[in-house]
Amino acid sequence: MAEWLRAAELCRFYRRGSHVVRAVDTVNLSLEQGEFLGIVGSSGSGKSTLLNLLAGLDTPSAGDVLVDGSPFSELSRRERSQFRSARVGMVFQSFNLLPQYSALENVALALLFSGERRRTRLRRAAEILERMELGDRADHRPADLSGGEQQRVAIARAMIKEPDILFADEPTGNLDEGNSALIADMLVDFNSKGLSVVMVSHDRELTGKLCNRVLRMDYGRLQPEEVAP
Amino acid sequence: MTFSDRLAIAFGNLRRMKLRATLTIAGIVIAIGAFVAMLSFGAGSRRNVVDEYNKFGLFTTMQVYTQGEGAEGESPAVIDDEALAIFATLPGVNLVYPYDAIKLKVRMDSLTCEIEAQALTPSALGTKLFSQLCEGSTLPRAGERGVVATRGLVDLFALSAPADLLGRHLILSRHVASVDSGMSQALPSNLSEVQTIINSVNSDSVRRQPLYLRRLVEGEVSRAAGRFFTGFMQGAVVTDTVTVVGVLKARDGQFGLKPLLLPLETATTLLEAGPSADPISLFADLKQGKLLGDPGGERADNREYPKATLDIEQHASYALLSDTLTAMGYSSFSYAADFEQIRRIFIIFDLLLGIVGLIALITAALGIVNTMVMAITERRREIGIFKSLGANENDIRDIFLLESGLIGAVGATIGILLGWGVSRIASLVAKEIMRNEGVEPVELFTTPPALIAVALTFGILISLIAGAWPATRAARVDPVAALRGE
Ligand SMILES: Nc1ncnc2c1ncn2[C@@H]1O[C@H](COP(=O)(O)OP(=O)(O)OP(=O)(O)O)[C@@H](O)[C@H]1O
Ligand SMILES: [Mg+2]
């Protein structure tokens, strides 16, 4: 399969007084279309930082991210927003739903920046919630949903714009086994339909079950050798 | 993201912070309300003055005066009939009439007053200045010798209301000097008086001293001249009976109005009877040589007036006319030029009121800054989520800007209504007070559409300015840090 996302000598440093934290240190990574990549590593090793860099949400201290061969550094902030809006889905450990909106509105929100009309947005949100068996929860606020349901709404929000890639930062970190399995099934399903996935997880069993390839991060460095699934 | 999307989000956010938004809006409401109410008062006062000016046609009236002593060697320009005819040909002049005051005694029932009356041609009586009546009409009905009174006469006769004067008969009398009366006094009235004079002459003395006779005759002649003058001054009294057909609205002394306005016809009858028996005006007339010759025709042809009034066209140039008159040796006064001065005062007045309103508005705008800065802190995570979903900095900035714009728009709208309401209530109260004080109530407040537009624009504009900085800050929130929950 063709490579389409690449990190080249990617660095992200944080300056803490005289001390420099190398959150991501000279990472080279190539991602193929339809790949399911797992990233593991101890807490503080820079997994989330790497994910944010790849999604274009964070700006590297050095190095670059290339999408289809064109580097982020040559894109304006607005163009990177457009890239995120059109091609990237993100799922977080803490769901990050907006408490004031219903599940339906939260999902529809993802289409807000892609120029869809409100009617279309709500219709498509209703459709995807129905497909993810959350149709009866559409009117509920996040506070009225279980953790598993919230994360499914978050995945629906990430998937509604049919992105090319999904960045999932410990998507099952706050869930019990049953709900974790449910989320895992969903991700596998989307991946089988051509979605590229980069997932950060502590759960070795989960990464082993889902990923084509698992890499480990240590102190900001991505270890070149694959971890045995 | 369309405008309506942004608007919906901004509106939803304001609803979420209901109490804070309400308080912030209240600040704008009060500021705009005060702004509108105060400037409504300014606009109302200005309109009152303009109305008054228009009512009396003051914008189209110009006064021309003689300049007293002329320049060295030149005799001062006078306002006589010839001059009046020249004034009438000046560009923009519709009508010219002289200021012609006559001293009269007015008798109504048993009361007699000495007044000055102003004689006016029918066309002059038709101008706006003399058409603002509180009672009656200016045009005398057929067969009636009508006059128009001003409130001054109402006061002179101690009447309670102008209406009491309407339809009343006034006996006008004018004391004129008369040659006939002088002659009759100068000549001894009967023969026995002549005999007494003759008897008193000592014939011996006449024969011995020719000078005695001369002194006798001279003494007699001067005594006769004295008697003539006394008789001349006692003269005759001409009277005329007229009916009051209208009473002017103008207050006493306003615009230099005399208590009584006479149609020229009535005035002429009184004037043609002879020169005034008032020693001062008689002396003035004598000096001008006006008493010699035919007392009627000659005199009327060559009268001089202290001033004249020009009724001019709406859009005529006052400055040009005034310059022309100055060049001709007259001085002039126009209420329109006077009004320029008043207008300047009004602009300063409005400006002061506006500044007070603006200060209130700026204080309220600081409330917006405070509210929006707090909103950023509370919504950092939300901003992070929006950015992770693909919102760019402009999207975030616009949402925040729209929120402060909405606060301004809602605040300004309610504020305008409040200001209008307050000015209505204040107007009603003021009118009631004026009515109780016996003054004719006037509208003190006006809220012109331009004021509403300015208030709305100001309210929104200042809110947007206040929101600009918080909005820029919101747009710059780092999504990574925001999502980490820092
Ligand atoms: N804004 C920041 N300022 C300073 N240091 C930071 C900042 N953000 C992250 N770091 C540091 O960078 C390193 C990597 O953080 P990151 O969140 O990527 O770790 P992680 O692998 O995702 O950890 P976890 O498994 O606990 O989520 C950490 O040591 C963290 O303290
Ligand atoms: Mg992390």
Side-chain angles (χ1 to χ4, degrees):
Chain A
M1 272 188 282
E3 167 204 282
W4 76 281
L5 186 76
R6 192 154 72 87
E9 308 285 302
L10 198 61
C11 299
R12 181 69 168 99
F13 303 150
Y14 291 105
R15 201 173 294 276
R16 277 284 135 105
S18 61
H19 185 65
V20 174
V21 180
R22 295 165 170 265
V24 170
D25 193 359
T26 334
V27 166
N28 287 293
L29 174 69
S30 178
L31 198 74
E32 284 173 7
Q33 228 154 30
E35 192 175 2
F36 201 132
L37 174 70
I39 295 176
V40 297
S42 56
S43 184
S45 58
K47 306 180 295 292
S48 297
T49 307
L50 178 62
L51 228 56
N52 287 334
L53 286 169
L54 293 175
L57 203 59
D58 201 356
T59 311
S61 310
D64 215 335
V65 176
L66 296 93
V67 182
D68 288 334
S70 57
F72 269 172
S73 60
E74 287 175 11
L75 298 183
S76 67
R77 268 201 267 235
R78 176 184 276 269
E79 284 167 324
R80 267 192 283 161
S81 300
Q82 247 154 23
F83 166 73
R84 265 202 313 283
S85 159
R87 303 181 68 179
V88 176
M90 295 183 87
V91 177
F92 307 92
Q93 180 176 354
S94 53
F95 321 135
N96 277 335
L97 297 176
L98 292 176
Q100 72 266 32
Y101 297 128
S102 69
L104 185 75
E105 287 168 326
N106 262 290
V107 174
L109 213 57
L111 292 177
L112 195 59
F113 311 102
S114 56
E116 299 274 15
R117 296 168 50 105
R118 185 178 153 79
R119 267 167 158 277
T120 321
R121 295 199 302 260
L122 290 176
R123 181 175 49 75
R124 283 180 57 186
E127 278 168 14
I128 196 164
L129 282 177
E130 200 65 53
R131 249 186 291 143
M132 294 173 76
E133 287 159 26
L134 282 165
D136 55 336
R137 292 280 187 272
D139 293 335
H140 290 222
R141 298 278 166 103
D144 302 333
L145 298 172
S146 76
E149 285 164 342
Q150 285 189 56
Q151 193 62 303
R152 272 148 65 201
V153 170
I155 291 175
R157 181 178 67 182
M159 291 309 298
I160 190 173
K161 51 195 172 184
E162 292 163 358
D164 297 327
I165 187 162
L166 181 75
F167 294 104
D169 193 351
E170 300 188 38
T172 59
N174 282 355
L175 303 179
D176 60 26
E177 267 176 42
N179 275 307
S180 296
L182 209 60
I183 299 292
D185 287 347
M186 277 180 173
L187 293 180
V188 168
D189 186 40
F190 284 124
N191 178 242
S192 68
K193 286 168 190 159
L195 175 78
S196 311
V197 181
V198 179
M199 183 178 78
V200 169
S201 183
H202 284 295
D203 190 340
R204 283 301 187 85
E205 205 179 312
L206 191 72
T207 52
K209 208 166 75 186
L210 300 180
C211 302
N212 313 120
R213 185 159 63 122
V214 181
L215 296 172
R216 207 184 77 226
M217 278 194 92
D218 276 321
Y219 301 105
R221 288 182 168 273
L222 197 64
Q223 302 309 121
E225 62 276 9
E226 280 184 40
V227 179
Chain B
M1 193 156 76
T2 64
F3 181 76
S4 66
D5 289 335
R6 286 164 225 241
L7 198 65
I9 292 173
F11 213 79
N13 285 338
L14 288 185
R15 272 225 313 253
R16 259 199 299 160
M17 45 179 196
K18 207 172 282 169
L19 179 63
R20 219 177 323 140
T22 308
L23 291 174
T24 312
I25 288 172
I28 300 285
V29 167
I30 291 165
I32 292 283
F35 185 81
V36 168
M38 287 191 297
L39 286 178
S40 291
F41 178 66
S45 320
R46 183 199 297 241
R47 203 190 60 173
N48 274 333
V49 174
V50 172
D51 279 359
E52 191 87 341
Y53 270 62
N54 273 325
K55 203 167 70 180
F56 291 106
L58 297 186
F59 288 120
T60 56
T61 301
M62 193 173 216
Q63 310 286 352
V64 185
Y65 304 90
T66 53
Q67 271 183 335
E69 290 308 305
E72 287 160 53
E74 288 173 47
S75 61
V78 294
I79 300 177
D80 53 12
D81 292 321
E82 199 184 329
L84 292 178
I86 294 169
F87 294 160
T89 62
L90 294 176
V93 176
N94 283 333
L95 179 71
V96 178
Y97 55 91
Y99 182 77
D100 201 358
I102 315 162
K103 277 212 171 91
L104 289 176
K105 273 195 179 133
V106 181
R107 190 182 158 89
M108 191 179 84
D109 301 337
S110 56
L111 271 173
T112 307
C113 293
E114 280 212 46
I115 58 152
E116 272 194 296
Q118 191 176 348
L120 287 163
T121 59
S123 48
L125 266 174
T127 59
K128 277 184 177 176
L129 186 56
F130 305 111
S131 303
Q132 289 300 315
L133 296 138
C134 57
E135 299 292 342
S137 64
T138 41
L139 296 171
R141 274 160 293 193
E144 209 176 37
R145 315 241 320 135
V147 292
V148 175
T150 65
R151 290 194 168 183
L153 201 67
V154 178
D155 297 339
L156 277 174
F157 285 117
L159 296 172
S160 53
D164 295 345
L165 203 55
L166 215 60
R168 298 293 286 268
H169 296 295
L170 302 178
I171 299 164
L172 307 181
S173 56
R174 181 163 179 264
H175 197 171
V176 294
S178 148
V179 177
D180 290 350
S181 144
M183 288 306 282
S184 67
Q185 290 290 319
L187 295 174
S189 51
N190 52 49
L191 284 175
S192 69
E193 211 170 315
V194 178
Q195 195 57 55
T196 316
I197 294 168
I198 292 170
N199 287 346
S200 71
V201 178
N202 186 323
S203 44
D204 279 354
S205 304
V206 174
R207 218 174 307 128
R208 265 178 285 144
Q209 287 180 294
L211 264 177
Y212 174 74
L213 183 63
R214 217 173 112 191
R215 252 186 289 157
L216 197 70
V217 172
E218 274 175 1
E220 198 52 44
V221 166
S222 67
R223 235 178 291 156
R227 282 203 301 273
F228 170 80
F229 195 72
T230 315
F232 182 66
M233 291 296 284
Q234 270 172 2
V237 173
V238 277
T239 57
D240 198 352
T241 305
V242 292
T243 312
V244 179
V245 295
V247 181
L248 285 188
K249 242 182 207 167
R251 288 182 290 280
D252 195 18
Q254 207 179 7
F255 318 121
L257 288 176
K258 299 295 179 195
L260 203 60
L261 306 176
L262 301 178
L264 196 60
E265 203 187 332
T266 310
T268 311
T269 324
L270 293 167
L271 281 170
E272 285 185 347
S276 166
D278 174 38
I280 296 165
S281 54
L282 188 67
F283 185 64
D285 284 354
L286 273 168
K287 245 182 101 178
Q288 291 178 349
K290 283 183 185 165
L291 287 179
L292 304 173
D294 175 32
E298 178 75 24
R299 234 192 80 260
D301 274 358
N302 212 7
R303 266 177 73 86
E304 282 178 17
Y305 310 97
K307 71 174 188 184
T309 304
L310 310 186
D311 187 69
I312 58 186
E313 274 165 25
Q314 191 77 48
H315 301 293
S317 162
Y318 293 92
L320 195 69
L321 213 50
S322 161
D323 287 350
T324 312
L325 290 166
T326 308
M328 287 166 70
Y330 299 100
S331 58
S332 62
F333 168 81
S334 79
Y335 286 101
D338 199 39
F339 184 74
E340 274 305 301
Q341 213 64 28
I342 296 176
R343 220 169 59 98
R344 212 162 297 156
I345 293 167
F346 270 123
I347 288 172
I348 293 169
F349 184 57
D350 279 356
L351 227 56
L352 285 177
L353 293 181
I355 285 170
V356 172
L358 214 61
I359 289 170
L361 202 53
I362 288 169
T363 313
L366 289 178
I368 294 184
V369 177
N370 185 31
T371 302
M372 297 315 291
V373 168
M374 278 180 77
I376 296 172
T377 319
E378 284 166 12
R379 303 216 303 254
R380 272 174 68 83
R381 188 176 196 81
E382 188 179 313
I383 295 167
I385 293 170
F386 268 55
K387 283 193 167 179
S388 80
L389 290 172
N392 61 42
E393 293 192 359
N394 289 353
D395 293 327
I396 306 291
R397 192 199 57 204
D398 289 355
I399 290 170
F400 275 77
L401 213 49
L402 216 54
E403 275 172 46
S404 39
L406 268 178
I407 289 177
V410 172
T413 307
I414 301 174
I416 288 166
L417 290 175
L418 176 78
W420 181 79
V422 165
S423 72
R424 283 305 88 205
I425 292 167
S427 162
L428 283 180
V429 171
K431 277 183 185 164
E432 193 53 44
I433 291 172
M434 284 187 255
R435 221 170 275 128
N436 286 346
E437 295 287 320
V439 190
E440 193 185 342
V442 290
E443 181 58 69
L444 289 181
F445 295 84
T446 325
T447 314
L451 176 58
I452 292 171
V454 164
L456 194 63
T457 313
F458 255 169
I460 295 175
L461 203 69
I462 289 196
S463 305
L464 286 178
I465 292 170
W469 178 68
T472 315
R473 267 187 52 158
R476 294 217 184 111
V477 164
D478 173 15
V480 178
L483 287 171
R484 285 176 75 94
E486 278 174 0

